[in-house]
């Protein structure tokens, strides 16, 4: 192959005036190709403007959604459909994203995730830090379903685990929540990988392997960047006070 191309390359060198010019041209072509690939990837990312709010029922997603948009407290109830609104990430910039609050009920959440996952630039997974100890298995199960989804894996949206209700004394810390989730997700991974196979020999477990095979799971093994923040949509002063969402708001500026 190389021998067959050599006469053509030699002729091109003579016409261009020597090997130096040809080397420059090859370098320019390589740069152009890299630039086009980068533009393609960025174009796909920029077309995804949604930030999805996910989590179990009563984690505080809807109040958090309302606080981000208006700053005001409001009474909420369990959502049975999605809510969306444009959110300006900074007063000093025109950059904005579309916040989408998805229902957390077990019978609805995967259905709504399926509808919006392709548009997700980022995902905020809201955890009730007070009820976490008794809900950890359900939280991990839902998060597992999100993380092994083929579209989520391919697009790798930024992921924030928002540890909500930190205004309550019994709330678990973000560090403890991270450790417990990693442990539960690792258990789920082992259970799913050991699931029986169907008649055609294909596995009936999750659609993808979570993390790195042969290693205990941790969030650094995922294709997307995962961060944890502590927050309170209610706020330490209750309904009349302000929410504690500084960490979340800074993260939204980064991912917008």
């Amino acid at each position: 192959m190389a021998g067959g191309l050599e006469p053509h390359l030699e002729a091109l060198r003579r016409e261009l005036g020597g090997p130096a010019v040809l080397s420059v041209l090859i370098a320019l072509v390589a740069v152009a190709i890299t630039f086009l690939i980068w533009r393609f990837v960025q174009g796909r990312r920029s077309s995804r403007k949604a930030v999805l709010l996910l989590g179990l029922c009563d984690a505080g997603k809807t109040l958090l959604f309302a606080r981000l948009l208006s700053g005001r407290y409001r009474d909420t109830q369990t959502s049975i459909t999605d809510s969306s609104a444009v959110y300006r990430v900074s007063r000093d910039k025109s950059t904005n994203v579309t916040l989408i609050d998805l229902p957390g009920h077990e019978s609805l959440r995967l259905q709504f995730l399926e509808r919006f996952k392709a548009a997700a630039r980022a995902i905020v997974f809201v955890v009730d830090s007070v009820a976490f100890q008794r809900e950890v298995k359900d939280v991990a199960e839902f998060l597992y379903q999100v993380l092994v989804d083929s579209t989520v894996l391919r697009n790798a949206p930024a992921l924030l685990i928002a540890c909500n209700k930190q205004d309550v004394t019994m709330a678990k810390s973000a560090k403890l929540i991270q450790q417990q989730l990693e442990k539960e997700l690792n258990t789920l991974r082992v259970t799913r990988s050991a699931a029986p196979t169907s008649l055609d020999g294909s596995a009936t477990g999750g659609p993808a392997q979570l993390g790195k095979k042969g290693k205990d799971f941790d969030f650094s093994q995922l294709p997307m960047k995962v961060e944890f923040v502590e927050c309170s949509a209610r706020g330490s002063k209750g309904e009349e006070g302000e929410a504690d969402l500084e960490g979340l708001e800074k993260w939204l500026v980064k991912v917008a």
Side-chain angles (χ1 to χ4, degrees):
M1 182 73 176
L5 287 174
E6 188 59 36
H8 300 287
L9 290 173
E10 186 59 36
L12 189 57
R13 285 191 193 101
R14 287 198 299 269
E15 287 191 25
L16 293 173
V21 177
L22 181 60
S23 298
V24 170
L25 283 176
I26 292 173
L28 288 174
V29 170
V31 170
I33 292 172
T34 302
F35 176 74
L36 289 172
I37 293 172
W38 179 82
R39 283 294 299 271
F40 174 74
V41 172
Q42 288 297 111
R44 288 188 60 190
R45 182 176 182 274
S46 63
S47 67
R48 301 194 303 270
K49 297 288 289 183
V51 175
L52 308 185
L53 303 183
L54 307 180
L56 303 188
C57 283
D58 300 321
K61 300 184 303 298
T62 302
L63 179 55
L64 189 151
F65 175 79
R67 285 286 208 176
L68 284 171
L69 293 172
S70 69
R72 294 190 294 273
Y73 178 91
R74 78 173 195 196
D75 291 324
T76 62
Q77 57 188 12
T78 300
S79 303
I80 59 172
T81 189
D82 61 280
S83 299
S84 63
V86 173
Y87 171 72
R88 182 170 293 178
V89 298
S90 171
R91 293 187 180 91
D92 302 324
K93 299 184 339 184
S94 59
T95 306
N96 57 64
V97 294
T98 302
L99 289 179
I100 307 180
D101 174 27
L102 303 186
H105 194 278
E106 186 177 3
S107 64
L108 297 172
R109 57 196 182 211
L110 291 181
Q111 168 190 334
F112 280 88
L113 175 63
E114 183 69 25
R115 184 183 302 177
F116 293 105
K117 62 187 181 182
R121 172 185 290 264
I123 294 173
V124 178
F125 193 96
V126 185
V127 174
D128 183 337
S129 304
V130 179
F132 177 74
Q133 209 64 56
R134 70 172 182 270
E135 293 181 344
V136 59
K137 292 186 184 298
D138 292 333
V139 172
E141 174 70 30
F142 184 22
L143 185 56
Y144 180 91
Q145 291 171 317
V146 173
L147 295 176
V148 298
D149 183 272
S150 58
T151 301
V152 174
L153 284 172
R154 182 175 65 251
N155 292 342
L159 173 63
L160 183 75
I161 311 295
C163 305
N164 193 25
K165 304 187 183 181
Q166 290 292 319
D167 56 294
V168 180
T169 305
M170 299 299 291
K172 304 303 182 212
S173 69
K175 184 65 175 177
L176 184 144
I177 288 172
Q178 178 177 348
Q179 291 171 345
Q180 289 295 310
L181 280 178
E182 287 177 338
K183 181 180 177 181
E184 288 295 332
L185 288 168
N186 190 62
T187 300
L188 274 173
R189 179 179 65 171
V190 172
T191 304
R192 297 300 175 86
S193 64
T197 56
S198 61
L199 292 176
D200 64 2
S202 61
T204 57
Q209 172 70 34
L210 187 69
K212 294 182 179 179
K213 191 173 182 179
K215 292 187 176 182
D216 288 342
F217 173 78
D218 66 67
F219 285 102
S220 68
Q221 298 167 5
L222 295 173
M224 69 282 290
K225 185 173 183 180
V226 183
E227 297 181 55
F228 284 72
V229 298
E230 296 180 353
C231 62
S232 172
R234 183 179 174 86
S236 59
K237 295 183 180 179
E239 300 177 13
E240 301 303 320
E242 294 184 357
D244 179 11
L245 302 178
E246 183 180 358
L248 172 56
E249 290 169 335
K250 287 181 178 179
W251 182 84
L252 286 170
V253 171
K254 281 197 303 182
V255 302

